[in-house]
Amino acid sequence: MDLSILAFGSGWGNALARGLFVTLALAAASVVLGTGLGLVGALVATSRFRIAAVIVGGYEVVMRSVPELLVIFAVYYGFSFALQPFLQMVGIEGFVAINAFWSGVLAIGMVHGSYCSEVFRGAFLAVPAGPLEAARALGLRPFPVFIAVKLPLALRFALPGLINLVVVTLKATPLVAAVGLQDLLRVAGDAGKNTKQYLTFYLVALAIYLVLAVLIWVVESRIERRASRFLGA
Amino acid sequence: MSLFGLIGRATCVTLFVAALGASQAAALEKVTVATEADFPPFNKTEADGSFSGFEIDLGKAICQRAQLDCTWVKQDFSGMIPALQAKKYDFIFSYMSINDDRSKVGLFSIPYITDQFRFYGPKGAAVTLPGGLDGKNVGVLAGSTGERFVKEKWGNKVEVRSYENLDQVNADLEAGRIDFGFNAQLPVSVFLASPAGAGFDWVGPAYSDPILGRGAGAMFRKDETALRDKVDAAIRSVYADGTFKAIAARYFKPGVDVSAEPLWK
């Protein structure tokens, strides 16, 4: 096997590196957006606002039930048209395009968020009543109780689940290639098409995804150990 | 970052880019052009991310003639028309065969190239068409005119397998998962001339049919008449001064006639 096709410069090394960067950027932005959405979703779902909780719950059931590819298509092809009436309401005329990358971030972030929400919800419910009562007894108002006591405790419970979702979302990123994004797997495919050495490039992509997943798990176990050092359990 | 922050940022960037485009409109009109970048010898992707091939060279010459500043983007063929309608780019220059169905949803330039379609399969497969295909598997490209043609002419007598790109058709042909392929002749001739294609050959005659289209043209949204007219004039111009012939000579063997001129002259 001639490995010069993988070289940086003359071979496909640079292209693969660019693809890897796109994959990482897409996964990172989706995880940030999704985790934020998930947190908000969980707060609404566990709040006193019944109607909002039902709406958010329904949205999340939809997001978890339909294929991610469909969400990506809906955002990429439909988002700009769906946005137009709202923009007109605030006086912006014309067409606002959303490119493949941000379509992917929005779509994958929304799906990621719907799963995160479930993880957060479970974590909030797992926080024991004792520390919360103690905080209230000290005279803390609801918001400081949440920020200083409930959220830090809940995060410890949520962490393993959240990190697992990061790996799931990393693996979902190649779907965005369907709307033209040049992510790692897509570049590997292009390289295969150009050189007819499909197996070589798919094996390289496989190795990179494997390394990324292992790295995420290593980081997770580190954080988990550090986060639970005061818990004594 | 919140969802709205995100949308806000994306919106700002888009508006900024749009404003930038408008300010340069006086010099060259900025347009975005879609290519599959995956259909040699017409278009393919290079290691540095650039596109190459006959259509890319021809397209660049046409853009120059039409005073257009063209940016090329890559898009899978099967999603190409929906993305055109969703305004992801201004026109398609990617071996889009002109036929009635597509003309209903978009606007075509005059054809810039023409090619016939043909079956191909294992060497020595003594098949008489059309009956010899009964019960066989035929590989075609998803969303292509070739797919429509085989489905329409052979119906359920053959099993049509649709693929995302020609490499997948050829790989399954080599692996024996399909019996024949059906596609435009020029891209297939690249495969037949390669070592992998050594055991395969044409089967039956070459087809021209209204379903298969009247050559390939640039495809625009319905309301883009002005842009279409510019491109039409540029196509006539590259044919008239020999530019088309010079580019074709770089990609096709002598004697292979891809000129679409008879279709509009």
Side-chain angles (χ1 to χ4, degrees), chain A residues 11-12 15 18 76-77 81 97-98 102 106 182 186 190 193-194 196 198, chain B residues 3 6 14 38 45-49 74 76 79 83 85-86 88 165 167:
Chain A
W12 285 81
R18 274 198 306 273
Y76 184 72
Y77 292 118
F81 292 102
I98 181 167
W102 289 109
L106 202 53
Q182 295 294 108
R186 179 56 178 261
D190 281 347
K193 276 167 207 152
N194 190 298
K196 308 294 169 200
Y198 283 98
Chain B
L3 172 63
L6 208 70
T14 313
D38 191 17
T45 311
E46 296 297 337
D48 62 1
K74 186 176 171 128
D76 277 353
Q85 290 169 327
K88 299 297 172 186
N165 66 61
D167 270 351

PDB file of all heavy atoms in Angstrom, chain A residues 11-12 15 18 76-77 81 97-98 102 106 182 186 190 193-194 196 198, chain B residues 3 6 14 38 45-49 74 76 79 83 85-86 88 165 167:
ATOM      1  N   GLY A  11      -0.395  14.914  -0.636  1.00  0.00           N
ATOM      2  CA  GLY A  11      -1.468  13.931  -0.512  1.00  0.00           C
ATOM      3  C   GLY A  11      -2.733  14.513   0.086  1.00  0.00           C
ATOM      4  O   GLY A  11      -3.000  15.705  -0.025  1.00  0.00           O
ATOM      5  N   TRP A  12      -3.493  13.654   0.765  1.00  0.00           N
ATOM      6  CA  TRP A  12      -4.794  14.069   1.302  1.00  0.00           C
ATOM      7  C   TRP A  12      -4.724  14.445   2.782  1.00  0.00           C
ATOM      8  O   TRP A  12      -5.750  14.625   3.433  1.00  0.00           O
ATOM      9  CB  TRP A  12      -5.812  12.945   1.082  1.00  0.00           C
ATOM     10  CG  TRP A  12      -6.234  12.873  -0.348  1.00  0.00           C
ATOM     11  CD1 TRP A  12      -5.571  12.274  -1.371  1.00  0.00           C
ATOM     12  CD2 TRP A  12      -7.402  13.467  -0.935  1.00  0.00           C
ATOM     13  NE1 TRP A  12      -6.245  12.458  -2.550  1.00  0.00           N
ATOM     14  CE2 TRP A  12      -7.366  13.177  -2.305  1.00  0.00           C
ATOM     15  CE3 TRP A  12      -8.472  14.218  -0.412  1.00  0.00           C
ATOM     16  CZ2 TRP A  12      -8.363  13.607  -3.193  1.00  0.00           C
ATOM     17  CZ3 TRP A  12      -9.458  14.640  -1.282  1.00  0.00           C
ATOM     18  CH2 TRP A  12      -9.398  14.338  -2.656  1.00  0.00           C
ATOM     19  N   ALA A  15      -6.372  17.780   3.590  1.00  0.00           N
ATOM     20  CA  ALA A  15      -7.823  17.695   3.441  1.00  0.00           C
ATOM     21  C   ALA A  15      -8.437  16.971   4.640  1.00  0.00           C
ATOM     22  O   ALA A  15      -9.464  17.398   5.179  1.00  0.00           O
ATOM     23  CB  ALA A  15      -8.170  16.973   2.141  1.00  0.00           C
ATOM     24  N   ARG A  18      -8.434  19.247   7.598  1.00  0.00           N
ATOM     25  CA  ARG A  18      -9.534  20.220   7.517  1.00  0.00           C
ATOM     26  C   ARG A  18     -10.860  19.558   7.884  1.00  0.00           C
ATOM     27  O   ARG A  18     -11.679  20.130   8.590  1.00  0.00           O
ATOM     28  CB  ARG A  18      -9.629  20.794   6.093  1.00  0.00           C
ATOM     29  CG  ARG A  18      -8.724  21.986   5.831  1.00  0.00           C
ATOM     30  CD  ARG A  18      -9.188  22.749   4.582  1.00  0.00           C
ATOM     31  NE  ARG A  18      -9.310  21.868   3.430  1.00  0.00           N
ATOM     32  CZ  ARG A  18      -8.301  21.579   2.608  1.00  0.00           C
ATOM     33  NH1 ARG A  18      -7.108  22.091   2.816  1.00  0.00           N
ATOM     34  NH2 ARG A  18      -8.492  20.770   1.581  1.00  0.00           N
ATOM     35  N   TYR A  76     -31.922  22.742   7.117  1.00  0.00           N
ATOM     36  CA  TYR A  76     -31.158  23.253   5.979  1.00  0.00           C
ATOM     37  C   TYR A  76     -32.068  23.789   4.875  1.00  0.00           C
ATOM     38  O   TYR A  76     -31.849  24.866   4.340  1.00  0.00           O
ATOM     39  CB  TYR A  76     -30.269  22.141   5.426  1.00  0.00           C
ATOM     40  CG  TYR A  76     -29.359  22.566   4.298  1.00  0.00           C
ATOM     41  CD1 TYR A  76     -28.264  23.384   4.549  1.00  0.00           C
ATOM     42  CD2 TYR A  76     -29.587  22.153   2.997  1.00  0.00           C
ATOM     43  CE1 TYR A  76     -27.427  23.776   3.531  1.00  0.00           C
ATOM     44  CE2 TYR A  76     -28.749  22.536   1.971  1.00  0.00           C
ATOM     45  CZ  TYR A  76     -27.670  23.348   2.236  1.00  0.00           C
ATOM     46  OH  TYR A  76     -26.841  23.733   1.223  1.00  0.00           O
ATOM     47  N   TYR A  77     -33.108  23.007   4.549  1.00  0.00           N
ATOM     48  CA  TYR A  77     -33.969  23.406   3.437  1.00  0.00           C
ATOM     49  C   TYR A  77     -35.112  24.314   3.868  1.00  0.00           C
ATOM     50  O   TYR A  77     -35.621  25.092   3.076  1.00  0.00           O
ATOM     51  CB  TYR A  77     -34.548  22.170   2.734  1.00  0.00           C
ATOM     52  CG  TYR A  77     -33.507  21.364   2.009  1.00  0.00           C
ATOM     53  CD1 TYR A  77     -33.237  20.059   2.367  1.00  0.00           C
ATOM     54  CD2 TYR A  77     -32.774  21.926   0.967  1.00  0.00           C
ATOM     55  CE1 TYR A  77     -32.272  19.313   1.705  1.00  0.00           C
ATOM     56  CE2 TYR A  77     -31.811  21.203   0.299  1.00  0.00           C
ATOM     57  CZ  TYR A  77     -31.555  19.896   0.677  1.00  0.00           C
ATOM     58  OH  TYR A  77     -30.595  19.175   0.017  1.00  0.00           O
ATOM     59  N   PHE A  81     -36.963  29.643   5.131  1.00  0.00           N
ATOM     60  CA  PHE A  81     -38.328  29.981   4.738  1.00  0.00           C
ATOM     61  C   PHE A  81     -39.208  30.159   5.969  1.00  0.00           C
ATOM     62  O   PHE A  81     -40.076  31.026   6.016  1.00  0.00           O
ATOM     63  CB  PHE A  81     -38.897  28.895   3.826  1.00  0.00           C
ATOM     64  CG  PHE A  81     -38.212  28.852   2.496  1.00  0.00           C
ATOM     65  CD1 PHE A  81     -37.262  27.890   2.221  1.00  0.00           C
ATOM     66  CD2 PHE A  81     -38.493  29.803   1.527  1.00  0.00           C
ATOM     67  CE1 PHE A  81     -36.600  27.862   1.007  1.00  0.00           C
ATOM     68  CE2 PHE A  81     -37.845  29.780   0.302  1.00  0.00           C
ATOM     69  CZ  PHE A  81     -36.895  28.813   0.045  1.00  0.00           C
ATOM     70  N   ALA A  97     -29.992  33.347   4.606  1.00  0.00           N
ATOM     71  CA  ALA A  97     -29.593  31.967   4.333  1.00  0.00           C
ATOM     72  C   ALA A  97     -28.920  31.371   5.561  1.00  0.00           C
ATOM     73  O   ALA A  97     -28.308  32.084   6.356  1.00  0.00           O
ATOM     74  CB  ALA A  97     -28.636  31.936   3.146  1.00  0.00           C
ATOM     75  N   ILE A  98     -29.053  30.074   5.725  1.00  0.00           N
ATOM     76  CA  ILE A  98     -28.314  29.378   6.780  1.00  0.00           C
ATOM     77  C   ILE A  98     -27.448  28.339   6.081  1.00  0.00           C
ATOM     78  O   ILE A  98     -27.925  27.590   5.229  1.00  0.00           O
ATOM     79  CB  ILE A  98     -29.259  28.758   7.829  1.00  0.00           C
ATOM     80  CG1 ILE A  98     -28.464  28.052   8.923  1.00  0.00           C
ATOM     81  CG2 ILE A  98     -30.274  27.818   7.203  1.00  0.00           C
ATOM     82  CD1 ILE A  98     -29.285  27.692  10.155  1.00  0.00           C
ATOM     83  N   TRP A 102     -24.018  25.736  10.074  1.00  0.00           N
ATOM     84  CA  TRP A 102     -24.921  26.185  11.141  1.00  0.00           C
ATOM     85  C   TRP A 102     -26.237  25.413  11.121  1.00  0.00           C
ATOM     86  O   TRP A 102     -26.861  25.235  12.172  1.00  0.00           O
ATOM     87  CB  TRP A 102     -25.147  27.699  11.060  1.00  0.00           C
ATOM     88  CG  TRP A 102     -23.902  28.439  11.460  1.00  0.00           C
ATOM     89  CD1 TRP A 102     -23.064  29.145  10.647  1.00  0.00           C
ATOM     90  CD2 TRP A 102     -23.307  28.488  12.776  1.00  0.00           C
ATOM     91  NE1 TRP A 102     -22.000  29.624  11.375  1.00  0.00           N
ATOM     92  CE2 TRP A 102     -22.117  29.249  12.664  1.00  0.00           C
ATOM     93  CE3 TRP A 102     -23.664  27.957  14.009  1.00  0.00           C
ATOM     94  CZ2 TRP A 102     -21.294  29.482  13.767  1.00  0.00           C
ATOM     95  CZ3 TRP A 102     -22.842  28.199  15.106  1.00  0.00           C
ATOM     96  CH2 TRP A 102     -21.674  28.961  14.967  1.00  0.00           C
ATOM     97  N   LEU A 106     -27.438  23.594  14.490  1.00  0.00           N
ATOM     98  CA  LEU A 106     -28.791  23.788  15.008  1.00  0.00           C
ATOM     99  C   LEU A 106     -29.517  22.452  15.125  1.00  0.00           C
ATOM    100  O   LEU A 106     -30.102  22.125  16.172  1.00  0.00           O
ATOM    101  CB  LEU A 106     -29.553  24.739  14.070  1.00  0.00           C
ATOM    102  CG  LEU A 106     -30.755  25.467  14.639  1.00  0.00           C
ATOM    103  CD1 LEU A 106     -30.391  26.202  15.913  1.00  0.00           C
ATOM    104  CD2 LEU A 106     -31.299  26.445  13.605  1.00  0.00           C
ATOM    105  N   GLN A 182     -18.163  19.377   4.457  1.00  0.00           N
ATOM    106  CA  GLN A 182     -16.986  18.538   4.246  1.00  0.00           C
ATOM    107  C   GLN A 182     -16.387  18.110   5.577  1.00  0.00           C
ATOM    108  O   GLN A 182     -15.345  18.607   5.972  1.00  0.00           O
ATOM    109  CB  GLN A 182     -15.951  19.301   3.416  1.00  0.00           C
ATOM    110  CG  GLN A 182     -16.388  19.610   2.007  1.00  0.00           C
ATOM    111  CD  GLN A 182     -16.544  18.367   1.172  1.00  0.00           C
ATOM    112  OE1 GLN A 182     -17.650  17.965   0.842  1.00  0.00           O
ATOM    113  NE2 GLN A 182     -15.444  17.725   0.838  1.00  0.00           N
ATOM    114  N   ARG A 186     -16.666  12.598   5.211  1.00  0.00           N
ATOM    115  CA  ARG A 186     -16.933  12.987   3.833  1.00  0.00           C
ATOM    116  C   ARG A 186     -15.627  13.176   3.048  1.00  0.00           C
ATOM    117  O   ARG A 186     -15.510  12.755   1.904  1.00  0.00           O
ATOM    118  CB  ARG A 186     -17.750  14.283   3.842  1.00  0.00           C
ATOM    119  CG  ARG A 186     -18.077  14.826   2.480  1.00  0.00           C
ATOM    120  CD  ARG A 186     -18.789  13.791   1.666  1.00  0.00           C
ATOM    121  NE  ARG A 186     -19.151  14.324   0.383  1.00  0.00           N
ATOM    122  CZ  ARG A 186     -20.348  14.778   0.069  1.00  0.00           C
ATOM    123  NH1 ARG A 186     -21.320  14.725   0.938  1.00  0.00           N
ATOM    124  NH2 ARG A 186     -20.601  15.259  -1.110  1.00  0.00           N
ATOM    125  N   ASP A 190     -14.341  11.347  -0.258  1.00  0.00           N
ATOM    126  CA  ASP A 190     -13.841  12.058  -1.451  1.00  0.00           C
ATOM    127  C   ASP A 190     -12.476  11.530  -1.858  1.00  0.00           C
ATOM    128  O   ASP A 190     -12.198  11.318  -3.042  1.00  0.00           O
ATOM    129  CB  ASP A 190     -13.690  13.561  -1.156  1.00  0.00           C
ATOM    130  CG  ASP A 190     -15.015  14.268  -1.222  1.00  0.00           C
ATOM    131  OD1 ASP A 190     -15.979  13.663  -1.730  1.00  0.00           O
ATOM    132  OD2 ASP A 190     -15.089  15.420  -0.762  1.00  0.00           O
ATOM    133  N   LYS A 193     -12.834   8.296  -3.487  1.00  0.00           N
ATOM    134  CA  LYS A 193     -13.346   8.414  -4.854  1.00  0.00           C
ATOM    135  C   LYS A 193     -12.251   8.855  -5.804  1.00  0.00           C
ATOM    136  O   LYS A 193     -12.150   8.371  -6.926  1.00  0.00           O
ATOM    137  CB  LYS A 193     -14.481   9.438  -4.897  1.00  0.00           C
ATOM    138  CG  LYS A 193     -15.820   8.856  -4.511  1.00  0.00           C
ATOM    139  CD  LYS A 193     -16.820   9.973  -4.257  1.00  0.00           C
ATOM    140  CE  LYS A 193     -17.883   9.531  -3.295  1.00  0.00           C
ATOM    141  NZ  LYS A 193     -18.437  10.653  -2.548  1.00  0.00           N
ATOM    142  N   ASN A 194     -11.437   9.800  -5.346  1.00  0.00           N
ATOM    143  CA  ASN A 194     -10.399  10.345  -6.216  1.00  0.00           C
ATOM    144  C   ASN A 194      -9.294   9.327  -6.468  1.00  0.00           C
ATOM    145  O   ASN A 194      -8.798   9.205  -7.585  1.00  0.00           O
ATOM    146  CB  ASN A 194      -9.829  11.627  -5.596  1.00  0.00           C
ATOM    147  CG  ASN A 194      -8.941  12.374  -6.551  1.00  0.00           C
ATOM    148  OD1 ASN A 194      -7.914  11.852  -6.974  1.00  0.00           O
ATOM    149  ND2 ASN A 194      -9.332  13.578  -6.931  1.00  0.00           N
ATOM    150  N   LYS A 196      -9.459   5.959  -5.509  1.00  0.00           N
ATOM    151  CA  LYS A 196     -10.008   4.589  -5.522  1.00  0.00           C
ATOM    152  C   LYS A 196      -9.448   3.746  -4.380  1.00  0.00           C
ATOM    153  O   LYS A 196      -9.551   2.528  -4.399  1.00  0.00           O
ATOM    154  CB  LYS A 196      -9.755   3.889  -6.872  1.00  0.00           C
ATOM    155  CG  LYS A 196     -10.202   4.676  -8.088  1.00  0.00           C
ATOM    156  CD  LYS A 196     -11.699   4.852  -8.166  1.00  0.00           C
ATOM    157  CE  LYS A 196     -12.067   5.857  -9.244  1.00  0.00           C
ATOM    158  NZ  LYS A 196     -13.410   6.419  -9.057  1.00  0.00           N
ATOM    159  N   TYR A 198     -10.527   3.427  -1.267  1.00  0.00           N
ATOM    160  CA  TYR A 198     -11.550   3.655  -0.242  1.00  0.00           C
ATOM    161  C   TYR A 198     -11.147   3.113   1.124  1.00  0.00           C
ATOM    162  O   TYR A 198     -11.250   3.795   2.138  1.00  0.00           O
ATOM    163  CB  TYR A 198     -12.870   3.010  -0.660  1.00  0.00           C
ATOM    164  CG  TYR A 198     -13.631   3.788  -1.703  1.00  0.00           C
ATOM    165  CD1 TYR A 198     -13.556   3.444  -3.045  1.00  0.00           C
ATOM    166  CD2 TYR A 198     -14.424   4.873  -1.333  1.00  0.00           C
ATOM    167  CE1 TYR A 198     -14.251   4.151  -4.002  1.00  0.00           C
ATOM    168  CE2 TYR A 198     -15.124   5.582  -2.291  1.00  0.00           C
ATOM    169  CZ  TYR A 198     -15.040   5.223  -3.626  1.00  0.00           C
ATOM    170  OH  TYR A 198     -15.734   5.934  -4.553  1.00  0.00           O
TER     171      TYR A 198
ATOM    172  N   LEU B   3     -29.559  29.797  21.861  1.00  0.00           N
ATOM    173  CA  LEU B   3     -30.049  29.554  20.502  1.00  0.00           C
ATOM    174  C   LEU B   3     -30.176  30.864  19.738  1.00  0.00           C
ATOM    175  O   LEU B   3     -29.794  30.976  18.585  1.00  0.00           O
ATOM    176  CB  LEU B   3     -31.406  28.843  20.574  1.00  0.00           C
ATOM    177  CG  LEU B   3     -32.153  28.672  19.263  1.00  0.00           C
ATOM    178  CD1 LEU B   3     -31.356  27.788  18.325  1.00  0.00           C
ATOM    179  CD2 LEU B   3     -33.519  28.055  19.506  1.00  0.00           C
ATOM    180  N   LEU B   6     -26.975  32.430  18.768  1.00  0.00           N
ATOM    181  CA  LEU B   6     -26.443  31.688  17.634  1.00  0.00           C
ATOM    182  C   LEU B   6     -27.070  32.156  16.323  1.00  0.00           C
ATOM    183  O   LEU B   6     -26.397  32.447  15.341  1.00  0.00           O
ATOM    184  CB  LEU B   6     -26.765  30.213  17.851  1.00  0.00           C
ATOM    185  CG  LEU B   6     -25.818  29.220  17.232  1.00  0.00           C
ATOM    186  CD1 LEU B   6     -24.509  29.270  17.986  1.00  0.00           C
ATOM    187  CD2 LEU B   6     -26.413  27.837  17.315  1.00  0.00           C
ATOM    188  N   THR B  14     -24.415  36.529   7.724  1.00  0.00           N
ATOM    189  CA  THR B  14     -25.058  36.403   6.411  1.00  0.00           C
ATOM    190  C   THR B  14     -25.355  37.773   5.819  1.00  0.00           C
ATOM    191  O   THR B  14     -25.095  38.021   4.646  1.00  0.00           O
ATOM    192  CB  THR B  14     -26.362  35.592   6.542  1.00  0.00           C
ATOM    193  OG1 THR B  14     -26.090  34.434   7.306  1.00  0.00           O
ATOM    194  CG2 THR B  14     -26.881  35.194   5.194  1.00  0.00           C
ATOM    195  N   ASP B  38     -17.927  15.007  -8.124  1.00  0.00           N
ATOM    196  CA  ASP B  38     -17.833  13.583  -7.830  1.00  0.00           C
ATOM    197  C   ASP B  38     -18.228  12.766  -9.062  1.00  0.00           C
ATOM    198  O   ASP B  38     -18.747  11.676  -8.934  1.00  0.00           O
ATOM    199  CB  ASP B  38     -18.802  13.303  -6.668  1.00  0.00           C
ATOM    200  CG  ASP B  38     -18.617  11.921  -6.090  1.00  0.00           C
ATOM    201  OD1 ASP B  38     -17.570  11.321  -6.349  1.00  0.00           O
ATOM    202  OD2 ASP B  38     -19.520  11.454  -5.384  1.00  0.00           O
ATOM    203  N   THR B  45     -13.263  16.155  -6.924  1.00  0.00           N
ATOM    204  CA  THR B  45     -12.620  16.921  -5.851  1.00  0.00           C
ATOM    205  C   THR B  45     -11.148  16.545  -5.759  1.00  0.00           C
ATOM    206  O   THR B  45     -10.815  15.368  -5.785  1.00  0.00           O
ATOM    207  CB  THR B  45     -13.293  16.608  -4.495  1.00  0.00           C
ATOM    208  OG1 THR B  45     -14.697  16.732  -4.662  1.00  0.00           O
ATOM    209  CG2 THR B  45     -12.818  17.559  -3.419  1.00  0.00           C
ATOM    210  N   GLU B  46     -10.280  17.553  -5.658  1.00  0.00           N
ATOM    211  CA  GLU B  46      -8.845  17.309  -5.499  1.00  0.00           C
ATOM    212  C   GLU B  46      -8.458  17.355  -4.032  1.00  0.00           C
ATOM    213  O   GLU B  46      -9.225  17.825  -3.189  1.00  0.00           O
ATOM    214  CB  GLU B  46      -8.046  18.363  -6.272  1.00  0.00           C
ATOM    215  CG  GLU B  46      -8.244  18.317  -7.793  1.00  0.00           C
ATOM    216  CD  GLU B  46      -7.755  17.012  -8.418  1.00  0.00           C
ATOM    217  OE1 GLU B  46      -6.897  16.338  -7.814  1.00  0.00           O
ATOM    218  OE2 GLU B  46      -8.245  16.661  -9.503  1.00  0.00           O
ATOM    219  N   ALA B  47      -7.233  16.889  -3.747  1.00  0.00           N
ATOM    220  CA  ALA B  47      -6.769  16.801  -2.361  1.00  0.00           C
ATOM    221  C   ALA B  47      -6.761  18.148  -1.656  1.00  0.00           C
ATOM    222  O   ALA B  47      -6.966  18.227  -0.451  1.00  0.00           O
ATOM    223  CB  ALA B  47      -5.374  16.180  -2.315  1.00  0.00           C
ATOM    224  N   ASP B  48      -6.531  19.232  -2.391  1.00  0.00           N
ATOM    225  CA  ASP B  48      -6.477  20.543  -1.746  1.00  0.00           C
ATOM    226  C   ASP B  48      -7.870  21.157  -1.594  1.00  0.00           C
ATOM    227  O   ASP B  48      -8.007  22.331  -1.228  1.00  0.00           O
ATOM    228  CB  ASP B  48      -5.545  21.491  -2.520  1.00  0.00           C
ATOM    229  CG  ASP B  48      -6.036  21.731  -3.940  1.00  0.00           C
ATOM    230  OD1 ASP B  48      -7.094  21.183  -4.298  1.00  0.00           O
ATOM    231  OD2 ASP B  48      -5.360  22.459  -4.679  1.00  0.00           O
ATOM    232  N   GLY B  49      -8.901  20.378  -1.894  1.00  0.00           N
ATOM    233  CA  GLY B  49     -10.269  20.864  -1.730  1.00  0.00           C
ATOM    234  C   GLY B  49     -10.816  21.567  -2.956  1.00  0.00           C
ATOM    235  O   GLY B  49     -11.984  21.947  -2.983  1.00  0.00           O
ATOM    236  N   LYS B  74     -19.967  22.521  -3.367  1.00  0.00           N
ATOM    237  CA  LYS B  74     -20.208  21.093  -3.600  1.00  0.00           C
ATOM    238  C   LYS B  74     -21.564  20.698  -3.032  1.00  0.00           C
ATOM    239  O   LYS B  74     -21.929  21.133  -1.941  1.00  0.00           O
ATOM    240  CB  LYS B  74     -19.092  20.346  -2.880  1.00  0.00           C
ATOM    241  CG  LYS B  74     -19.061  18.881  -3.095  1.00  0.00           C
ATOM    242  CD  LYS B  74     -17.820  18.356  -2.388  1.00  0.00           C
ATOM    243  CE  LYS B  74     -17.868  16.845  -2.381  1.00  0.00           C
ATOM    244  NZ  LYS B  74     -16.650  16.281  -2.888  1.00  0.00           N
ATOM    245  N   ASP B  76     -24.395  17.148  -3.059  1.00  0.00           N
ATOM    246  CA  ASP B  76     -24.778  15.823  -3.573  1.00  0.00           C
ATOM    247  C   ASP B  76     -25.822  15.973  -4.664  1.00  0.00           C
ATOM    248  O   ASP B  76     -26.718  16.807  -4.566  1.00  0.00           O
ATOM    249  CB  ASP B  76     -25.373  14.966  -2.446  1.00  0.00           C
ATOM    250  CG  ASP B  76     -24.291  14.304  -1.627  1.00  0.00           C
ATOM    251  OD1 ASP B  76     -23.116  14.418  -2.019  1.00  0.00           O
ATOM    252  OD2 ASP B  76     -24.629  13.687  -0.613  1.00  0.00           O
ATOM    253  N   GLY B  79     -29.729  15.853  -3.929  1.00  0.00           N
ATOM    254  CA  GLY B  79     -30.347  16.977  -3.225  1.00  0.00           C
ATOM    255  C   GLY B  79     -30.154  18.307  -3.939  1.00  0.00           C
ATOM    256  O   GLY B  79     -30.402  19.370  -3.378  1.00  0.00           O
ATOM    257  N   ALA B  83     -31.914  22.110  -3.023  1.00  0.00           N
ATOM    258  CA  ALA B  83     -31.022  23.137  -2.486  1.00  0.00           C
ATOM    259  C   ALA B  83     -31.002  24.381  -3.369  1.00  0.00           C
ATOM    260  O   ALA B  83     -30.832  25.499  -2.880  1.00  0.00           O
ATOM    261  CB  ALA B  83     -29.605  22.580  -2.324  1.00  0.00           C
ATOM    262  N   GLN B  85     -33.652  25.466  -4.954  1.00  0.00           N
ATOM    263  CA  GLN B  85     -34.888  26.158  -4.591  1.00  0.00           C
ATOM    264  C   GLN B  85     -34.792  26.801  -3.214  1.00  0.00           C
ATOM    265  O   GLN B  85     -35.432  27.817  -2.957  1.00  0.00           O
ATOM    266  CB  GLN B  85     -36.065  25.183  -4.649  1.00  0.00           C
ATOM    267  CG  GLN B  85     -36.380  24.801  -6.084  1.00  0.00           C
ATOM    268  CD  GLN B  85     -37.344  23.652  -6.186  1.00  0.00           C
ATOM    269  OE1 GLN B  85     -37.355  22.762  -5.359  1.00  0.00           O
ATOM    270  NE2 GLN B  85     -38.175  23.677  -7.216  1.00  0.00           N
ATOM    271  N   ALA B  86     -33.986  26.207  -2.336  1.00  0.00           N
ATOM    272  CA  ALA B  86     -33.790  26.789  -1.003  1.00  0.00           C
ATOM    273  C   ALA B  86     -32.737  27.901  -1.047  1.00  0.00           C
ATOM    274  O   ALA B  86     -32.286  28.365  -0.010  1.00  0.00           O
ATOM    275  CB  ALA B  86     -33.387  25.710  -0.010  1.00  0.00           C
ATOM    276  N   LYS B  88     -29.591  27.982  -1.884  1.00  0.00           N
ATOM    277  CA  LYS B  88     -28.261  27.717  -1.356  1.00  0.00           C
ATOM    278  C   LYS B  88     -27.198  28.145  -2.372  1.00  0.00           C
ATOM    279  O   LYS B  88     -26.044  28.300  -2.041  1.00  0.00           O
ATOM    280  CB  LYS B  88     -28.092  26.235  -1.034  1.00  0.00           C
ATOM    281  CG  LYS B  88     -29.066  25.735   0.010  1.00  0.00           C
ATOM    282  CD  LYS B  88     -28.858  26.412   1.340  1.00  0.00           C
ATOM    283  CE  LYS B  88     -29.964  26.047   2.303  1.00  0.00           C
ATOM    284  NZ  LYS B  88     -29.883  26.791   3.550  1.00  0.00           N
ATOM    285  N   ASN B 165     -23.500   7.541  -5.990  1.00  0.00           N
ATOM    286  CA  ASN B 165     -22.516   7.941  -6.996  1.00  0.00           C
ATOM    287  C   ASN B 165     -22.077   6.756  -7.842  1.00  0.00           C
ATOM    288  O   ASN B 165     -22.339   5.594  -7.505  1.00  0.00           O
ATOM    289  CB  ASN B 165     -21.319   8.663  -6.362  1.00  0.00           C
ATOM    290  CG  ASN B 165     -20.509   7.754  -5.482  1.00  0.00           C
ATOM    291  OD1 ASN B 165     -19.962   6.754  -5.945  1.00  0.00           O
ATOM    292  ND2 ASN B 165     -20.431   8.071  -4.193  1.00  0.00           N
ATOM    293  N   ASP B 167     -19.177   5.417  -8.498  1.00  0.00           N
ATOM    294  CA  ASP B 167     -18.228   4.466  -7.924  1.00  0.00           C
ATOM    295  C   ASP B 167     -18.949   3.334  -7.216  1.00  0.00           C
ATOM    296  O   ASP B 167     -18.513   2.186  -7.245  1.00  0.00           O
ATOM    297  CB  ASP B 167     -17.313   5.176  -6.904  1.00  0.00           C
ATOM    298  CG  ASP B 167     -16.067   5.721  -7.574  1.00  0.00           C
ATOM    299  OD1 ASP B 167     -15.853   5.400  -8.758  1.00  0.00           O
ATOM    300  OD2 ASP B 167     -15.323   6.463  -6.915  1.00  0.00           O
TER     301      ASP B 167
END
